[in-house]
Amino acid sequence: MIGIHGLTAEQEAFATHVGGAFVHACPGAGKTRTIIARLAKIAATLPPRRGVAVLSFTNSAVDEFRERCRVAGLGPLLKHPSFMGTLDAFVRHFVVLPGSAATSTMRPIILDSWDTLGIEVRLSGQFAFRGDAVSLDLFDAETNVIDPARIGHAGLRNHVRQHQARYQQAAAQRRRGLLQAGYLSAGDARVQTLQLIRDPVNGGALGRALAARFHEVMVDEGQDCNPLDLQILSWLREHGVHVIFVCDPDQAIYEFRNGNPAGVQIFKETYPVESHRGLTGNFRSSPAVCRLAATLRSAGHVDQSVGDTANVAHPILLLSYGGRGPSATIGRAFLDRVAELGLDSTDAIVLAHSGKVAQRAAGGVVSSDSNGSSRVESLARKVAEFWSPAATARSKESAIQAVETLLLDLMGLRQDNEHLLRAVERGGMDRRTHRRCALSLLMSLPKVCGNADADRLAWIACVQAETERLNLPLPARVTVRNFFRRPTNVQWSHHLQVPVELGLTCAKIHEAKGREYGAVCVVIPPNRAPENRGEALFDSWETRTDAEAKRVLYVGLTRAQHLSALAVPVAFADRCVAVLVAGQVPYTRRDL
């Protein structure tokens, strides 16, 4: 049954619902289109000086909403008093910055993570660990408690277990110093927000002010909320803000930022039953893709394919591969199948949990495993990231900022662990001019470097020449040539290996979330001890038990419209076949 403006009955019920709602939307259910329809209806009756806030968790998702609003003639919703951005940006803009302005003259710099500044926690003296330090991001922002199980390195994990209290004390001290210096991670910003909203006087005043400004706050991809996010949303509701919460718990893939599917279920129960809405029917994927997706759900429900691909009969492509890991052989086999079916290869993508795994399978440049800290290697790594086929607008921006920071270090204008923006602000620099210098250097350097000494020397010589051409003011006894000196190891040039030209796009699954492609190949890497992630994935898949690795696979495979391909190590191929057969999923197998 089709409602007005081409919406289904379910979509129409959501678009016209009055007040807050909890909306469960399956992949491809037309969620974004329905949200835009709801925004159009709200915009038509929005009182003066009141707006709506549309929040998501990635900049790419926000950009898509912005573009959809422009196309739909909803430009006013992109301006004051409305707001469209990430939940982090909302918290920063409406809570943290106003709160900081009242207590400090220093404008805080809010980082996505402490890793942005390379902030680590290390014990000294007799308790020192000779290997890696622990990222401050692994310590709880509110309590500084750490779960050693989250540390990958076995030796460091055991050391933290032995000296956990000392590590937590050191983390608390390090965090305190950073906060005093005007730095906040996204997690710390949320903690400050909770402290404010728990204040009955200041928190109450802020809640009333936000309720007066926002007619509604709409949260997309709500399954990615962590407990602090849910507390903030509950507080908004307590002050009369209508909160629309749109989610699919099967797509919760942010455990690394404490995403909590169980907490989302509890949050659902705070909405009255009549405010529970659902969007079913998959307008994106073919019946085979829908059946494959059902095998990855705990409940096993198969969505009905109801869109333009409802009559597409392409079976799932199962590729089994051997060797030490994925290679371009996977990408070639995937492209062969895409060509056989007459699909558009420019609308095909290789996805994996790890960007390196996806790049290897797509035949792209794979950043070296070398983690050398030389300036030449750092620059080579950023050049590779900037030109990578897996690059996003955000990763390109990160590369540019890294080069900006490197140039500040060359000029001696940055203090230890000082953020780029703070250094520019403190030095009274023209950020635009400095940014142009960094971008000019990044664009002028060769994208590839051979594996011979002569190739490496030529690449370093180019770095030195292009940097000297910028005519930057340098401190006494500092030259471009001694700043960018030749690294002692030769592994750095592996960041700039020549790619196999398959013409395939690739990305991390997290980066592709919310998008759709004609054909998708998801790559599962070989099982590695001691983590045994591949074994854990197939155990949870076979037993239909909840696990984030399974949800990540679900997100990747459900990006496909016409064709889903799954590349698995040969050791897991038969187990994968058994799952497909049990789920009545049509498939073809090719052993590489």
Side-chain angles (χ1 to χ4, degrees):
M1 175 180 176
I2 302 297
I4 60 171
H5 306 307
L7 299 179
T8 67
E10 287 179 332
Q11 292 171 342
E12 182 68 21
F14 168 37
T16 58
H17 179 83
V18 177
F22 186 98
V23 184
H24 187 158
C26 77
K31 174 189 64 176
T32 303
R33 177 171 177 266
T34 310
I35 288 175
I36 297 301
R38 179 174 179 83
L39 290 175
K41 294 178 186 298
I42 292 174
T45 58
L46 204 59
R49 295 184 296 279
R50 297 202 76 194
V52 294
V54 180
L55 312 179
S56 193
F57 286 84
T58 64
N59 290 309
S60 59
V62 173
D63 290 343
E64 182 178 0
F65 276 122
R66 288 180 176 277
E67 182 59 28
R68 294 280 193 103
C69 282
R70 290 189 188 98
V71 171
L74 299 177
L77 294 185
L78 304 178
K79 305 173 185 176
H80 179 88
S82 291
F83 178 86
M84 199 166 288
T86 63
L87 185 55
D88 282 341
F90 181 84
V91 169
R92 179 186 309 135
H93 189 79
F94 294 105
V95 183
V96 178
L97 293 181
S100 298
T103 59
S104 173
T105 58
M106 183 184 297
R107 181 182 176 87
I109 290 179
I110 303 178
L111 313 166
D112 287 338
S113 70
W114 290 119
D115 283 344
T116 306
L117 292 182
I119 303 299
E120 298 174 325
V121 178
R122 184 185 294 277
L123 300 185
S124 58
Q126 62 177 319
F127 303 112
F129 181 74
R130 292 186 179 181
D132 295 338
V134 185
S135 169
L136 185 57
D137 288 314
L138 292 179
F139 295 84
D140 184 85
E142 188 169 18
T143 64
N144 286 299
V145 170
I146 186 171
D147 177 6
R150 297 179 63 193
I151 300 173
H153 188 283
L156 181 58
R157 181 168 62 245
N158 292 334
H159 193 263
V160 171
R161 283 198 176 106
Q162 287 179 313
H163 306 286
Q164 187 164 343
R166 290 187 176 88
Y167 271 102
Q168 290 171 178
Q169 184 178 11
Q173 184 176 354
R174 190 78 173 95
R175 190 186 306 275
R176 193 158 47 245
L178 289 162
L179 297 181
Q180 290 171 353
Y183 293 106
L184 292 168
S185 72
D188 291 282
R190 280 172 166 75
V191 169
Q192 288 205 0
T193 298
L194 289 178
Q195 292 171 347
L196 176 59
I197 67 179
R198 289 167 182 165
D199 183 328
V201 177
N202 295 325
L206 178 61
R208 289 189 294 273
L210 292 176
R213 173 168 175 171
F214 293 110
H215 170 78
E216 179 171 295
V217 171
M218 192 177 304
V219 180
D220 183 35
E221 303 288 359
Q223 71 276 355
D224 295 328
C225 284
N226 61 32
L228 297 182
D229 299 330
L230 296 176
Q231 288 186 58
I232 293 168
L233 297 176
S234 295
W235 169 77
L236 288 172
R237 292 176 65 202
E238 290 169 3
H239 285 84
V241 178
H242 296 156
V243 174
I244 297 290
F245 191 88
V246 185
C247 70
D248 177 5
D250 287 310
Q251 296 190 61
I253 58 173
Y254 283 89
E255 279 185 7
F256 65 86
R257 62 180 294 279
N258 298 320
N260 183 7
V264 171
Q265 182 60 35
I266 294 172
F267 185 69
K268 174 183 178 179
E269 302 308 320
T270 65
Y271 284 84
V273 175
E274 58 269 22
S275 293
H276 293 183
R277 298 289 175 185
L279 295 178
T280 60
N282 192 320
F283 290 84
R284 173 191 301 150
S285 302
S286 70
V289 176
C290 289
R291 282 207 162 272
L292 176 60
T295 68
L296 290 157
R297 285 177 167 164
S298 298
H301 172 73
V302 180
D303 292 323
Q304 183 179 2
S305 177
V306 294
D308 294 338
T309 58
N311 294 318
V312 170
H314 307 324
I316 302 303
L317 174 62
L318 176 61
L319 301 172
S320 70
Y321 67 89
R324 294 180 56 83
S327 69
T329 305
I330 293 172
R332 290 192 187 97
F334 175 51
L335 278 178
D336 286 347
R337 183 59 174 158
V338 168
E340 287 173 12
L341 297 175
L343 301 176
D344 182 1
S345 63
T346 64
D347 193 27
I349 190 168
V350 175
L351 299 175
H353 191 289
S354 159
K356 287 185 178 181
V357 170
Q359 285 176 268
R360 288 190 179 100
V365 175
V366 179
S367 180
S368 168
D369 289 332
S370 171
N371 289 316
S373 59
S374 76
R375 291 157 182 152
V376 166
E377 177 158 359
S378 296
L379 188 56
R381 188 184 299 116
K382 294 308 168 185
V383 169
E385 291 173 1
F386 186 82
W387 294 110
S388 166
T392 62
R394 191 168 188 177
S395 66
K396 284 179 179 287
E397 175 62 26
S398 176
I400 295 169
Q401 291 189 16
V403 177
E404 286 187 76
T405 301
L406 200 59
L407 294 182
L408 286 178
D409 290 340
L410 170 63
M411 294 185 287
L413 298 178
R414 192 174 75 98
Q415 298 173 356
D416 288 345
N417 292 133
E418 186 175 35
H419 190 272
L420 164 68
L421 298 181
R422 181 73 78 224
V424 169
E425 179 184 84
R426 181 177 51 78
M429 299 176 64
D430 182 345
R431 172 77 192 284
R432 290 184 180 179
T433 300
H434 184 65
R435 181 180 173 84
R436 280 196 293 269
C437 287
L439 187 57
S440 172
L441 177 60
L442 193 56
M443 299 286 286
S444 66
L445 297 179
K447 302 175 188 178
V448 297
C449 178
N451 200 30
D453 283 343
D455 298 323
R456 284 185 280 269
L457 288 173
W459 199 86
I460 294 172
C462 184
V463 169
Q464 294 168 346
E466 293 297 333
T467 305
E468 287 172 345
R469 194 171 284 120
L470 296 175
N471 292 317
L472 301 174
L474 304 182
R477 295 186 296 279
V478 173
T479 68
V480 170
R481 293 182 183 275
N482 65 32
F483 186 83
F484 287 117
R485 61 169 58 94
R486 182 181 181 181
T488 55
N489 76 76
V490 298
Q491 301 300 315
W492 66 267
S493 63
H494 293 181
H495 294 290
L496 299 164
Q497 288 178 341
V498 178
V500 178
E501 293 295 342
L502 294 182
L504 262 177
T505 303
C506 62
K508 298 177 184 177
I509 290 174
H510 287 79
E511 294 168 343
K513 192 173 185 184
R515 299 180 180 276
E516 59 185 28
Y517 306 89
V520 172
C521 178
V522 178
V523 183
I524 298 175
N527 194 58
R528 305 286 190 205
E531 294 87 357
N532 294 315
R533 294 187 179 120
E535 188 69 36
L537 167 61
F538 274 88
D539 284 347
S540 63
W541 195 358
E542 291 164 338
T543 59
R544 290 192 182 275
T545 53
D546 188 44
E548 183 172 77
K550 190 178 71 166
R551 296 195 298 270
V552 171
L553 183 59
Y554 173 85
V555 169
L557 292 169
T558 55
R559 301 308 92 203
Q561 297 169 308
H562 298 271
L563 171 67
S564 269
L566 188 58
V568 303
V570 66
F572 293 112
D574 289 343
R575 293 174 67 178
C576 190
V577 166
V579 170
L580 298 180
V581 170
Q584 299 181 341
V585 181
Y587 75 96
T588 58
R589 175 174 173 174
R590 179 177 173 186
D591 297 324
L592 303 179

